[in-house]
Amino acid sequence: MSIRVDGTTFSLETKNTLYQMKADAYGVLKHLWYGAKTSQDMEYLLDYPDVSFSGNIYDVEDNRTYSLDTMPLEYSTEGIGDFRISSVGIRYENGASALDLRYENHEILPGKYSIPGLPAVYAEDYEAQTLAITLKDTASDIRVILKYGVLPDFDVITRSAVITNNGHGNVMILRAHSLCLDIPYGKWEWVHFHGRWGKERTPERLPLLHGIQESSSKRGTSSHHHNPSVLLCQEGCTETSGTCLGAVLMYSGCFQAQVEYDQLNQTRLVMGMNPHMFRWELEPGKSFYTPEVILSLSTSGMETLSHQFHRIIREHVCRGKYKLIERPILINNWEATYFDFNEEKLLDIARGAAELGVDMLVMDDGWFGKRDSDNSGLGDWYVNKNKLPDGLEGLVKKVNDLGMEFGIWFEPEMISEDSDLYRTHPEWTIRIPGRQPTRSRFQLVLDMSRQDVRDYLFDVMSQILGSANITYVKWDFNRSVSDWYSELLPASRQKEMPHRFVLGLYDLMERLTSAFPDILFEGCCGGGGRFDAGILYYCPQIWCSDDTDAFERTQIQYGTSFFYPISSMGSHVSAVPNHQTGRITSIKARAVTAMSGSFGYELDLNKLTQEEKNEVKFQIGLFKEYGPLIHNGKYYRLSNPFRDNYAVWQYVSQDQKKVLIQGLIFRTEPNMLRYPIHLRGLDPDKKYRLREDGVIYSGNALMNGGILMPKCFGDYVPVELYLEAIDA
Ligand code: GLA
């Protein structure tokens, strides 16, 4: 049993962790513990000082030490004396905003709950249990059901909330976070992942300062700028030691994560939809569902935490036929041609790639409507016959005849003003009446909250996808959303738009991925601007960044690896000088980096020298062998590329028999020592043979002494070493 209830103390047990809470004598649901597994009621740790200026709820009478402002709570509220960050806010018809939530009842259910209209971790009934605790406001008929999914074998707990209006009048939800996690003790630091276009998910580890720190997005997407994931670690925590916990929000829109370090040096983490971009009018009898947060904790450092997240996301967030199987090695024409292509050019690229063993041609932006630049055509999802005279069917057949599969690019949620769609349906665009809309990449955004817009997109995309043998879709989204307004919503509901937009996106993705279960969908948003667990529920891989530079990618993929599995990161070998940075790196250096993901190419391979082509053929052969280990093995960060002069990482198969070390040494110095890197996760008693020179090492030696890095000459020296266990 992973959920134990003792009176009103709730213990959620996973293999290595315990999450504990208790509804006390007043029905207030207090958080007691999230940490290493113990068999104890952890309430003994709570101490309540008499703190001036922290309020006391009415029914505790003269007990001045009982204050919601100082105790660890499971779901904080506002208006009744907890002055820290609130998780939920409700405004009533009389204009007041307060919520005093008390325990009403609970229920334990087999399996993992799901959330209507939203992505959520899924599991078989034998893998998970659900605890639903209902809290009720003392003065109104608002109820909040806190849902906890417990997946013991994964060391994962999920959280989400349902807010129900059982009263007679409408209420306004002002905020509805998915997670509130109070940690009364310890010195914690937080790591958030920031960035910009072309430079996503840079980890930043910061001490907790008194007050509030935030990582958030108001852009309509989860964004390049902050990722909806947070890591809290105890001071001194490293890759391999110390306690840390992670929270990943399964949501692709405006989000907010806040960490508050309070007057008593307690830490509160809240996470959910961004309240600045959210209101929800809740009618009597209706419920509102928050997105889900995935929580996991490790007492042996960040590496274990990453393994836990990789496993849950790969196996219980990603869905569909491709989630665990090898992905096709693809060639994408974007950086090879940009908009300037026709059938002949594409076939030329495909022929060159087929000869070297590439599995699939992906036709990127520019194949539809009037689309010779990014100023026009979005929304007109029909083939441009000037570029593709034999239509899609003709092109796809010719590509298939080369022995390759075919994939296609869409940017469904967008519209260009210069398009037939805009001329016919200007009202489908997000814009505020009486104002000029904000353009970005000269394009506008479709109102995805509208059923008619989604039906149009479903029909037109289904028609294209059904018209030829298409087995891959790249689903792009190339701007932030502003000018929020929907013609179909009343004034009181306009602030619902950012969330309704995401619900609309998920609805369309669900319909299309169900209608085309054999298609591999890859998410994209100007690279990695919507790299989140919400999108991964529909698309098992996401284009990691528009920056394809090998050096830069070591950092971007390092940051991404804290929570997201390697199989989810789309990464390609592109041309040099690199189009984003002008940097020149060898084809091998680029391949080694791109292999650390869903591997592919993004250049015209015909333009390479014969020597480079041989290397490409070799690397493709290697990826066919290493792919399963890279995607389904355990991943180890052996360096920090933001600090060290090298980025080296390692994969170990689940049975510890296969080991792959890859990476780049950045700058070479004269007379450089070949320094050793310590491997991890091996069987100390096993012997491993290095494929490259046949030398045999013990697991013990490789982990304690390390393996020597290659001799360096030139910059960005690739590292690629493969070890296999031999029978003793
Ligand atoms: C985005 C994507 C690129 C490419 C272009 C096409 O920037 O990230 O890979 O598809 O759009 O316009």
Side-chain angles (χ1 to χ4, degrees), residues 334 339 364-365 409 441 474 476 478 524 526-527 543 546 602:
W334 178 241
F339 292 105
D364 210 276
D365 192 357
W409 180 96
R441 212 193 189 198
K474 178 173 170 186
D476 212 338
N478 278 316
C524 181
W543 183 226
D546 272 346
E602 183 129 355

Side-chain angles (χ1 to χ4, degrees), residues 257-269:
Q258 289 186 325
V259 201
E260 178 166 5
Y261 194 47
D262 75 7
Q263 56 173 338
L264 299 176
N265 304 331
Q266 306 184 102
T267 302
R268 169 171 290 175
L269 170 65

Side-chain angles (χ1 to χ4, degrees), residues 395-676:
L395 171 65
V396 175
K397 180 158 185 334
K398 288 172 210 170
V399 172
N400 286 167
D401 287 346
L402 294 170
M404 291 177 98
E405 296 179 58
F406 184 86
I408 195 166
W409 180 96
F410 282 100
E411 198 180 354
E413 301 141 86
M414 295 294 165
I415 184 164
S416 304
E417 286 158 89
D418 184 3
S419 69
D420 292 341
L421 184 65
Y422 187 79
R423 284 181 279 274
T424 323
H425 285 295
E427 79 285 4
W428 283 5
T429 308
I430 297 182
R431 59 188 299 169
I432 300 170
R435 282 180 190 276
Q436 296 296 4
T438 311
R439 293 176 177 134
S440 183
R441 212 193 189 198
F442 211 69
Q443 63 200 49
L444 305 180
V445 188
L446 285 171
D447 179 352
M448 295 295 289
S449 73
R450 293 176 67 128
Q451 185 71 44
D452 48 3
V453 168
R454 300 199 299 271
D455 288 346
Y456 164 79
L457 290 171
F458 179 77
D459 289 346
V460 79
M461 289 174 77
S462 299
Q463 213 215 320
I464 290 285
L465 296 179
S467 72
N469 183 22
I470 296 171
T471 50
Y472 164 103
V473 164
K474 178 173 170 186
W475 186 308
D476 212 338
F477 189 90
N478 278 316
R479 61 162 289 178
S480 303
V481 191
S482 53
D483 308 74
W484 289 106
Y485 187 86
S486 174
E487 286 208 358
L488 298 189
L489 294 175
S492 61
R493 290 193 179 273
Q494 287 300 333
K495 270 223 140 179
E496 298 180 11
M497 261 295 277
H499 184 52
R500 286 185 181 274
F501 183 90
V502 178
L503 292 175
L505 164 68
Y506 290 154
D507 174 55
L508 182 63
M509 283 191 153
E510 184 67 38
R511 283 167 77 186
L512 279 164
T513 51
S514 315
F516 296 93
D518 291 329
I519 290 184
L520 168 61
F521 284 80
E522 174 158 347
C524 181
C525 172
R530 206 159 58 177
F531 204 115
D532 57 66
I535 294 295
L536 286 172
Y537 186 70
Y538 305 95
C539 309
Q541 60 191 56
I542 301 176
W543 183 226
C544 205
S545 176
D546 272 346
D547 186 349
T548 53
D549 175 275
F551 163 69
E552 290 282 327
R553 272 299 186 115
T554 63
Q555 297 188 333
I556 295 167
Q557 292 168 196
Y558 168 87
T560 309
S561 79
F562 280 85
F563 290 111
Y564 304 104
I566 307 307
S567 55
S568 69
M569 302 180 207
S571 60
H572 300 165
V573 172
S574 61
V576 288
N578 179 269
H579 293 195
Q580 293 78 38
T581 60
R583 187 174 285 118
I584 295 178
T585 51
S586 70
I587 191 84
K588 182 155 185 188
R590 281 172 274 157
V592 157
T593 319
M595 274 199 204
S596 188
S598 293
F599 186 44
Y601 289 85
E602 183 129 355
L603 74 171
D604 185 349
L605 292 170
N606 298 307
K607 297 195 172 143
L608 299 186
T609 63
Q610 191 52 48
E611 201 186 329
E612 287 173 324
K613 284 184 189 168
N614 295 344
E615 178 61 31
V616 167
K617 200 167 181 175
F618 176 71
Q619 290 291 344
I620 288 174
L622 275 191
F623 191 77
K624 299 247 156 152
E625 182 188 348
Y626 296 158
L629 169 60
I630 292 174
H631 285 185
N632 300 327
K634 281 189 176 169
Y635 171 82
Y636 295 83
R637 293 174 289 267
L638 300 185
S639 73
N640 175 350
F642 291 93
R643 179 196 63 202
D644 304 325
N645 184 30
Y646 50 86
V648 179
W649 57 91
Q650 175 202 348
Y651 304 95
V652 181
S653 60
Q654 302 291 346
D655 63 6
Q656 294 175 303
K657 287 188 174 160
K658 295 176 181 171
V659 183
L660 175 66
I661 303 137
Q662 291 182 315
L664 284 190
I665 298 171
F666 302 148
R667 266 176 304 97
T668 292
E669 295 166 9
N671 260 336
M672 223 172 144
L673 276 182
R674 287 181 63 202
Y675 47 85

